[in-house]
């Protein structure tokens, strides 16, 4: 594979072209869509192109889930309170997230990944690890596979993809982070330390602010500093497990495999309210709303679950959970709501102010497992209505259809 | 208090009231059994406030008295005594139970704290034999739910009518209904009796020639042979079960009940985690298939008289065996429509007992 003509955005660590055999140890890719939610929103509404865009909760306690690169230029960041982001960039357009659209786009992209290798480990809607070592005969070396992915994602999904190419998950992920936006960064194993050691310590996986502070007290600011420190010293400073792990990573030692499919253990939905809720009826509606979201996610994933757990966080941050296990797994909103509603009623909360409510279904099984049917009048109408509503939401977005009891109430005169 | 009694009679009575001793008493005295002697009449009682058990036996009384002793231990003590004459006497330290060289001394709880047990009203009472009640309870009780989240389904519905008692239970996957003759001279009444109370009372009273069942607005009493169990009723509305039973099945199989049970037993090893068993109905034959992915499969074929289209229907193996075992006839009749409609299982006399069972829907 020639690397004389390189598309823009393509970088090889160390800045020198790959020498003979240098591509051999490459095989792990980390693929990450750039400003994913914001990019999908631009696709939906091309007039937003080039403008600062914030996707996230637009309510009082909303948080930015995705900022376009134009908005990032003003200092807006993911996970920043929406109010602060809007102060930084008043001209930004803020839109609520449209997860149905993101899931559709994600499915397209993951499908492209699957076309290159079956060893795809999705981490989120917008990122995945891929092991392309077995794809050499079909697509060439790992760098060629990465180029192919970027081209196909641009052509078929209309999205910019950054790919990190390396010999391990740790380095591949680091490479994609350093390669953004719309880039391809290759870290051949022979140049791993040359790439890694100048980076600040927060590049190490698992190094949070507390760890960074400790390392700073020891005068360790770069990964190279950490690598040059005896392992025993790190273990004393950070504890045996964390110290040993940091030392390993600082020497680019990471042998985690790409695990193609991590079966979900639970499916849940929760909501932090813009203001605390103390009205029992309103709280019951919010719990119903969670049930509807969970039911839909279960059906989309083809799963059903037996254990329903209700989670509530009080205004003072005290959090409680109450659960029940059913005889037969369910994926229907109404059954989830019956159980969650009973769990809620049994708590006898009165008017205690609630900050967050959530519903989780666990004890999952494939929904196409044998189902013990129930006696009684069939409710084909309701079942069909729920499936039809799923289809409407998938096509027109989350807000397109809802239960009447979840519709905004008209103010009483 | 002091009396002498025959061990067997005494132990039976103590065993009866041991059932209703609170397992986790909210008051210490609710973990106790009341022992009360008046002349030659010994009365034993216990309650967990939901259920009350009472037994009255004749003993040779010497001194009247009323004490409460720890109920579980009292039950164990009485059960383990060897046959023969037993002497019981309340002394300062506790209740002494003596049998030959054996002496037990049980601590006394405060008898003043023991709740006053209201005497059940005997206004609405029906009677039947202990054997008939035990049979019906065994047929119906298993279909009741264990899910305390839906209390109504943990009950057995009693429909008391002139000369006819109907019991029904459903856990929403199956429905068992049994009608039997009895004597009831009142207006029709219904009651939701906790399945556990019914099963225990019916089993213990199985040997009695006559069992009385008294129904009141909030409780039911089973009485026979000087023993009595009163249970609070379950509140709520039982599903309208008659409308669940389809009429006019076209496909009907008749099979020797025991042979079918044996065939089902052959495939039980594959039935773990409620893995379904498949029945294939064909002319002259019924095939029973069980399989477990990556483990194995088994099949058993039995003779059957079958009228209808060839069909395969999957069922929960436990529910199916429960229903076939409950048929009180040498032949079991299974009426089916298709893989998504309930099957009706009964004996040749469809009026006495019937069992309605929903299939398991297979993927694809």
């Amino acid at each position: 594979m020639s690397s004389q003509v390189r598309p823009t955005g393509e970088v090889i660590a160390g800045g020198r072209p790959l020498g003979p055999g240098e591509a051999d140890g490459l095989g792990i890719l980390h693929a990450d869509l750039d400003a994913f939610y914001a990019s999908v929103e631009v696709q939906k509404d091309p007039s937003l192109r080039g403008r600062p865009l914030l996707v996230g909760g637009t309510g009082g306690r909303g948080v930015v889930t995705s900022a376009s690169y134009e908005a990032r230029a003003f200092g807006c960041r993911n996970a920043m309170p929406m109010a602060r982001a809007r102060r930084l960039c008043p001209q930004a357009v803020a839109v609520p997230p449209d997860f149905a659209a993101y899931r559709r786009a994600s499915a397209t992209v993951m499908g492209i990944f699957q076309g290159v290798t079956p060893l795809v480990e999705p981490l989120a809607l917008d990122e995945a690890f891929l092991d392309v070592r077995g794809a050499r005969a079909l697509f060439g070396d790992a760098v060629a596979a990465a180029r192919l992915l970027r081209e196909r994602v641009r052509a078929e999904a209309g999205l910019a993809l950054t790919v990190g190419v390396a010999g391990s998950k740790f380095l591949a992920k680091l490479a994609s982070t350093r390669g953004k936006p719309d880039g391809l960064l290759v870290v051949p194993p022979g140049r791993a330390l040359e790439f890694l050691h100048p980076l600040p310590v927060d590049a190490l996986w698992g190094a949070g602010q507390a760890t960074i502070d400790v390392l700073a007290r020891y005068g360790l600011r770069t990964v190279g500093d950490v690598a040059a420190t005896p392992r025993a010293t790190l273990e004393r400073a950070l504890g045996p497990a964390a110290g040993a792990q940091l030392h390993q990573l600082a020497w680019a030692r990471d042998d985690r495999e790409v695990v193609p499919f991590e079966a979900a253990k639970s499916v849940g939905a929760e909501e932090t309210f813009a203001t605390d809720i103390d009205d029992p009826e309103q709280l019951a509606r919010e719990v119903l709303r969670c049930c509807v979201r969970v039911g839909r996610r279960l059906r989309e994933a083809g799963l059903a679950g037996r254990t329903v757990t209700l989670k509530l966080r009080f205004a003072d941050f005290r959090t409680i959970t109450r659960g029940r296990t059913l005889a037969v797994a369910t994926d229907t909103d109404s059954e989830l709501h019956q159980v969650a509603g009973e769990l809620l009623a049994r708590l006898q909360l009165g008017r205690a102010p609630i900050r967050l409510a959530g519903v989780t279904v666990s004890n999952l099984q494939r929904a196409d497992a044998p189902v013990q049917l129930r006696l009684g009048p069939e409710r084909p109408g309701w079942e069909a209505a729920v499936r039809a509503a799923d289809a409407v939401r998938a096509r027109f977005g989350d807000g397109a259809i809802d239960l009447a009891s979840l519709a905004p109430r008209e103010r009483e005169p | 208090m002091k009396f002498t009694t025959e061990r067997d009679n005494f132990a039976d009575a103590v065993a009866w009231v041991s059932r209703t001793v609170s397992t986790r008493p909210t008051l210490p005295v609710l973990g106790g059994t009341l022992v009360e002697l008046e002349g030659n009449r010994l009365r034993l009682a216990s309650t967990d406030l939901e259920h009350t058990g009472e037994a009255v036996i004749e003993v040779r009384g010497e001194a009247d008295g009323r004490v409460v002793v720890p109920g579980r231990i009292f039950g164990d003590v009485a059960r383990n005594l060897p046959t023969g004459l037993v002497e019981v006497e309340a002394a300062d330290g506790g209740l002494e139970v003596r049998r030959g060289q054996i002496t037990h001394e049980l601590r006394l709880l405060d008898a003043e704290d023991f709740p006053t047990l209201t005497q059940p009203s005997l206004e609405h009472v029906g009677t039947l034999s202990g054997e008939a009640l035990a049979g019906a309870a065994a047929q119906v009780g298993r279909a009741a739910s264990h899910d305390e989240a839906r209390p109504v389904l943990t009950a057995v519905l009693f429909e008391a009518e002139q000369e006819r008692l109907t019991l029904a239970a459903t856990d929403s996957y199956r429905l068992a209904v049994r009608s039997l003759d009895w004597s009831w001279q009142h207006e029709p009444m219904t009651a939701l009796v906790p399945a556990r109370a019914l099963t225990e009372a019916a089993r213990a009273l199985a040997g009695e020639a006559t069992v009385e069942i008294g129904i009141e607005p909030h409780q039911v009493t089973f009485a026979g042979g000087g023993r009595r169990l009163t249970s609070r009723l379950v509140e709520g509305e039982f599903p309208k079960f008659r409308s669940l039973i389809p009429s006019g099945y076209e496909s009907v199989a008749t099979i020797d009940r025991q042979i079918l049970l044996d065939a089902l037993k052959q495939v039980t090893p594959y039935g773990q985690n409620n893995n379904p068993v498949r029945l294939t109905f064909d002319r002259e034959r019924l095939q029973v298939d069980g399989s477990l992915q990556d483990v194995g499969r088994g099949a058993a074929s039995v003779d059957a008289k079958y009228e209808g289209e060839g069909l395969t229907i999957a069922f929960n193996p436990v529910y199916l065996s429960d229903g076939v075992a409950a048929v009180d006839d040498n032949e079991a009749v299974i009426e089916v429509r298709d893989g998504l409609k309930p099957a009706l299982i009964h004996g040749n006399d469809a009026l006495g007992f019937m069992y309605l069972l929903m299939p398991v829907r297979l993927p694809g």
Side-chain angles (χ1 to χ4, degrees):
Chain A
M1 188 74 206
S2 105
S3 15
Q4 272 91 48
V5 184
R6 289 204 304 269
T8 48
E10 193 166 313
V11 176
I12 295 174
R16 313 179 294 281
L18 287 177
E22 268 205 296
D24 289 355
L26 296 170
I28 309 296
L29 273 48
H30 180 260
D32 197 350
L33 292 159
D34 298 329
F36 176 52
Y37 295 173
S39 306
V40 175
E41 293 298 338
V42 169
Q43 238 178 17
K44 281 166 61 188
D45 178 0
S47 75
L48 296 172
R49 187 175 301 281
R51 298 175 60 181
L53 178 63
L54 301 167
V55 180
T58 46
R61 282 182 193 166
V63 162
V64 176
T65 47
S66 177
S68 69
Y69 281 93
E70 292 82 0
R72 292 181 198 199
F74 290 87
C76 301
R77 294 286 178 267
N78 292 355
M80 175 182 279
M82 182 61 83
R84 178 146 170 251
R86 298 184 88 153
R87 276 197 303 278
L88 289 170
C89 183
Q91 66 273 43
V93 181
V95 297
D98 173 2
F99 288 103
Y102 310 151
R103 272 191 295 269
R104 276 198 306 277
S106 176
T108 305
V109 172
M110 294 294 168
I112 294 169
F113 294 173
Q114 293 282 352
V116 173
T117 171
L119 297 179
V120 177
E121 179 181 336
L123 300 174
L125 286 178
D126 59 348
E127 57 174 319
F129 282 118
L130 294 84
D131 182 340
V132 296
R133 285 175 292 190
R136 186 173 304 252
L138 283 172
F139 302 106
D141 64 24
V143 178
R147 280 189 200 121
L148 178 72
L149 285 176
R150 295 195 344 107
E151 281 160 24
R152 286 195 57 189
V153 168
R154 181 176 306 286
E156 294 168 36
L159 294 169
L161 179 73
T162 298
V163 182
V165 183
S168 69
K169 283 168 115 176
F170 166 58
L171 286 174
K173 168 116 185 163
L174 209 49
S176 77
T177 309
R178 302 276 144 183
K180 274 182 171 295
D182 196 10
L184 194 169
L185 177 54
V186 183
V187 183
R191 304 184 196 176
L193 299 182
E194 175 186 341
F195 166 72
L196 185 59
H197 282 178
L199 298 178
V201 290
D202 67 2
L204 293 172
W205 180 70
Q209 194 54 50
T211 305
I212 293 167
D213 292 345
V214 171
L215 295 174
R217 282 207 294 280
Y218 284 77
L220 309 178
R221 295 181 198 287
T222 66
V223 177
D225 295 341
V226 174
T229 306
R231 180 169 153 169
T233 308
L234 292 173
E235 290 179 7
R236 269 199 307 282
L238 299 166
Q245 185 194 312
L246 225 54
H247 195 257
Q248 289 291 91
L249 290 180
W251 285 101
R253 292 178 196 131
D254 171 32
D255 52 9
R256 289 172 299 156
E257 295 283 330
V258 174
V259 183
F261 178 69
E262 190 95 352
K265 293 199 173 61
S266 69
V267 172
E270 61 181 46
E271 188 72 39
T272 301
F273 307 125
T275 52
D276 296 339
I277 291 180
D278 65 358
D279 172 8
E281 262 185 50
Q282 195 190 348
L283 182 61
R285 272 202 304 279
E286 293 299 338
V287 169
L288 170 59
R289 200 187 303 280
C290 288
C291 290
V292 170
R293 276 159 61 194
V294 172
R296 182 165 163 234
R297 282 180 197 171
L298 284 169
R299 292 190 295 277
E300 278 176 355
L303 296 169
R306 284 181 55 204
T307 302
V308 181
T309 305
L310 172 72
K311 171 180 170 185
L312 294 173
R313 179 167 296 149
F314 293 96
D316 61 4
F317 277 83
R318 194 163 53 91
T319 305
I320 57 170
T321 58
R322 294 288 183 275
R324 176 171 321 135
T325 298
L326 309 168
V328 174
T330 182
D331 67 351
T332 63
D333 307 352
S334 55
E335 225 169 327
L336 295 176
H337 179 232
Q338 193 193 332
V339 179
E342 277 171 21
L343 292 170
L344 177 65
R346 199 171 282 190
L347 283 169
Q348 302 190 328
L349 293 173
R351 300 195 72 92
I354 302 294
R355 181 187 161 81
L356 169 151
V359 173
T360 302
V361 174
S362 53
N363 223 330
L364 299 177
Q365 60 187 56
R366 303 290 316 164
D368 61 7
V371 180
Q372 170 67 56
L373 302 172
R374 279 177 190 279
L375 285 165
E378 289 169 56
R379 300 209 292 169
W382 186 253
E383 276 274 303
V386 169
R387 310 264 159 194
D390 283 352
V392 169
R393 290 194 192 102
R395 178 145 180 211
F396 297 107
D398 276 359
I401 187 167
D402 227 330
L403 292 175
S405 52
L406 293 178
R409 296 278 161 116
E410 285 187 26
R411 299 244 177 265
E412 291 190 14
Chain B
M1 176 169 66
K2 186 173 182 185
F3 62 88
T4 319
T5 177
E6 179 58 38
R7 178 265 173 201
D8 291 355
N9 200 17
F10 177 64
D12 279 357
V14 176
W16 177 262
V17 295
S18 295
R19 296 169 211 274
T20 43
V21 171
S22 297
T23 42
R24 274 169 297 176
T26 46
L27 287 171
V29 76
L30 293 181
T33 293
L34 177 73
V35 184
E36 195 177 59
L37 182 69
E38 267 182 53
N40 287 332
R41 186 174 176 276
L42 177 71
R43 176 171 170 257
L44 303 173
S46 68
T47 182
D48 62 6
L49 301 178
E50 293 279 315
H51 313 87
T52 300
E54 198 181 340
V56 176
I57 56 171
E58 290 291 312
V59 297
R60 186 141 33 85
E62 289 179 37
D64 288 359
R66 183 174 188 271
V67 299
V68 176
V69 292
R72 318 224 106 215
I73 302 289
F74 191 41
D76 292 342
V77 163
R79 191 178 63 241
N80 293 334
L81 288 173
T83 307
L85 268 190
V86 178
E87 270 189 315
V88 180
E89 183 174 7
D92 286 346
L95 187 73
E96 283 189 19
V97 180
R98 294 188 292 268
R99 162 72 185 86
Q101 307 294 314
I102 303 163
T103 308
H104 293 278
E105 190 179 298
L106 301 180
R107 187 170 71 88
L108 299 183
L109 306 173
D110 192 346
E112 295 302 310
D113 290 348
F114 198 79
T116 313
L117 304 174
T118 53
Q119 292 303 302
S121 148
L122 295 179
E123 197 188 337
H124 296 102
V125 172
T127 55
L128 73 174
S129 75
E131 193 187 353
L133 176 64
Q139 284 176 304
V140 171
R142 297 201 71 170
S145 165
H146 300 286
D147 184 1
E148 295 297 330
R150 296 184 67 191
V152 164
L153 298 188
T154 65
V156 173
L157 173 71
F158 275 54
E159 284 185 347
E161 293 169 285
Q162 295 251 331
E163 310 305 327
R164 180 151 286 268
L165 172 65
T166 302
L167 305 185
T170 178
D171 58 8
S172 84
Y173 307 115
R174 55 202 169 140
L175 164 75
V177 183
R178 171 69 205 268
S179 287
L180 62 167
D181 294 332
W182 79 334
S183 115
W184 172 268
Q185 310 301 337
H186 318 281
E187 288 298 298
M189 283 179 82
T190 62
L192 287 175
V193 178
R196 214 168 63 88
L198 169 64
T199 309
E200 296 221 339
R203 203 181 290 150
L205 294 171
E208 301 297 331
T210 305
V211 173
E212 292 181 307
I213 303 177
I215 300 178
E216 296 169 72
H218 297 292
Q219 60 181 27
V220 62
T221 300
F222 298 89
R227 288 170 293 175
R228 200 152 71 186
L229 175 80
T230 299
S231 168
R232 207 183 280 182
L233 297 178
V234 175
E235 307 277 327
E237 194 178 346
F238 196 77
K240 302 217 177 326
F241 69 90
R242 287 195 173 80
S243 65
L244 299 176
I245 304 167
S247 54
Y249 281 96
E250 281 150 20
S251 306
V252 181
T254 308
I255 316 109
D256 182 284
R257 171 179 163 278
Q258 192 54 51
I259 290 175
L260 176 55
L261 283 175
D262 290 344
L264 288 171
K265 199 167 184 183
Q266 287 301 317
V267 300
T268 25
Y270 311 104
Q272 50 186 264
N273 299 327
N274 294 333
N275 202 35
V277 56
R278 285 185 308 285
L279 298 190
T280 301
F281 297 87
D282 213 334
R283 292 178 72 81
E284 318 288 311
R285 303 211 67 70
L286 172 61
Q287 171 142 331
V288 179
D289 284 284
S291 68
L292 199 54
Q293 201 176 2
D294 303 329
V295 176
R297 56 175 58 247
S301 188
V302 299
D303 290 335
K305 282 178 284 184
Y306 180 64
E307 291 166 32
E309 304 258 309
L311 263 181
T312 297
I313 307 181
F315 294 101
N316 175 308
V318 175
Y319 296 171
L320 180 60
S321 299
D322 280 355
V324 175
V327 169
D328 46 0
D329 197 346
N330 290 331
E331 287 191 319
V333 178
I334 305 181
E335 302 187 53
V336 291
R337 187 159 290 158
D338 60 43
L340 302 175
K341 297 285 187 337
L344 188 62
I345 302 173
H346 53 81
N348 278 311
D349 166 24
L351 297 173
F353 170 73
M354 61 182 163
Y355 188 86
L356 191 67
L357 173 60
M358 281 304 277
V360 170
R361 185 177 64 209
L362 296 174

